[in-house]
Amino acid sequence: MVSATVSEDICYRYFGKENVNFYVCKRAAYKGSLYQYPQKSMSRSCLKNNPGIVRRLMEKFHLDEGKVITFMKENIGSLHFGNTEGSNTLEGEDILVVGTPYHTEFLYKLAAFSMGIDFNEDEKMTSQDIIYNGYAFKFTTFQNEDLRAVHFWMLESELEQAVGRARLLWNECTVHLFSNFPLSQSEMVEDFEIDKD
């Protein structure tokens, strides 16, 4: 298996450490740029509480609907979280990715259960102090480290797939990512004010 979004930890848990030989390739530097704006969570509830925020960001970056990836419910563009994998329609384009794509808690628990991970079935996601991808931040996730690993793998994979549609490895284009979950190759933009012109 060759994958940009595979997790060594998840592979070991799922297939058993004795059945996996994991080889990490050096991360290639992007030819393009990935700017991340972590000021708001940009979860579904955040977008619901900030109506029109995606369209305001489109205006700020002068991008039309076809160059936006967000939640399907926003009804913007043809790509959305959950259907980006493998698409080359945005290759070489400047794009806007808006969202932190959480799933329902039971989905993470179901995945963990299928891997034989032991956890408290009643645990709920709560705000946690996290260190991940070289960043310290507050994030709503599980306290159980095994459940958190499943959550972060699924979330990070979805974000990486969305960002990857621009094919930053080969193209000098820009992706603007609005999410409070840090991707390892992002350049963080801390002073951006979303609601100011």
Side-chain angles (χ1 to χ4, degrees):
M1 159 177 27
V2 177
S3 174
T5 58
V6 71
S7 163
E8 182 175 6
D9 187 44
I10 296 298
C11 283
Y12 287 154
R13 291 171 193 276
Y14 196 78
F15 299 108
K17 205 167 191 169
E18 66 282 356
N19 297 317
V20 175
N21 291 324
F22 202 88
Y23 303 97
V24 179
C25 296
K26 180 181 161 193
R27 275 196 191 262
Y30 285 151
K31 212 172 185 182
S33 301
L34 171 57
Y35 297 111
Q36 183 164 356
Y37 308 81
Q39 291 81 2
K40 292 184 183 281
S41 74
M42 295 300 184
S43 63
R44 287 175 184 85
S45 61
C46 176
L47 268 57
K48 183 179 177 184
N49 294 331
N50 293 273
I53 194 167
V54 178
R55 295 221 178 257
R56 289 195 304 276
L57 291 170
M58 288 167 56
E59 288 174 19
K60 279 185 189 252
F61 293 106
H62 309 289
L63 294 171
D64 62 41
E65 285 193 11
K67 296 184 181 165
V68 178
I69 299 173
T70 188
F71 299 104
M72 185 168 70
K73 188 175 182 179
E74 294 298 309
N75 201 26
I76 295 173
S78 60
L79 292 180
H80 54 79
F81 294 119
N83 84 334
T84 60
E85 192 171 336
S87 172
N88 285 323
T89 60
L90 297 174
E91 182 174 351
E93 301 286 345
D94 292 346
I95 66 171
L96 175 64
V97 178
V98 182
T100 303
Y102 282 89
H103 294 291
T104 57
E105 290 183 8
F106 81 83
L107 186 61
Y108 305 118
K109 291 177 180 179
L110 183 61
F113 179 79
S114 74
M115 291 180 228
I117 294 172
D118 187 36
F119 59 91
N120 177 352
E121 293 177 24
D122 295 324
E123 182 179 345
K124 300 289 183 198
M125 289 184 174
T126 57
S127 183
Q128 309 284 329
D129 290 319
I130 303 296
I131 296 176
Y132 191 77
N133 278 342
Y135 296 96
F137 57 104
K138 278 217 172 283
F139 199 76
T140 301
T141 188
F142 298 102
Q143 191 166 8
N144 179 293
E145 289 185 17
D146 295 326
L147 279 176
R148 187 185 308 154
V150 171
H151 176 210
F152 283 6
W153 163 63
M154 292 175 81
L155 175 56
E156 187 171 28
S157 295
E158 193 68 51
L159 287 174
E160 289 284 3
Q161 286 296 334
V163 165
R165 296 318 88 208
R167 306 298 189 201
L168 292 173
L169 281 175
W170 306 295
N171 297 287
E172 291 182 13
C173 53
T174 301
V175 175
H176 298 281
L177 170 62
F178 285 81
S179 172
N180 67 338
F181 186 85
L183 294 186
S184 61
Q185 290 182 278
S186 293
E187 182 179 326
M188 291 295 171
V189 180
E190 299 288 349
D191 56 354
F192 184 84
E193 294 188 47
I194 291 172
D195 295 316
K196 280 199 172 177
D197 290 329

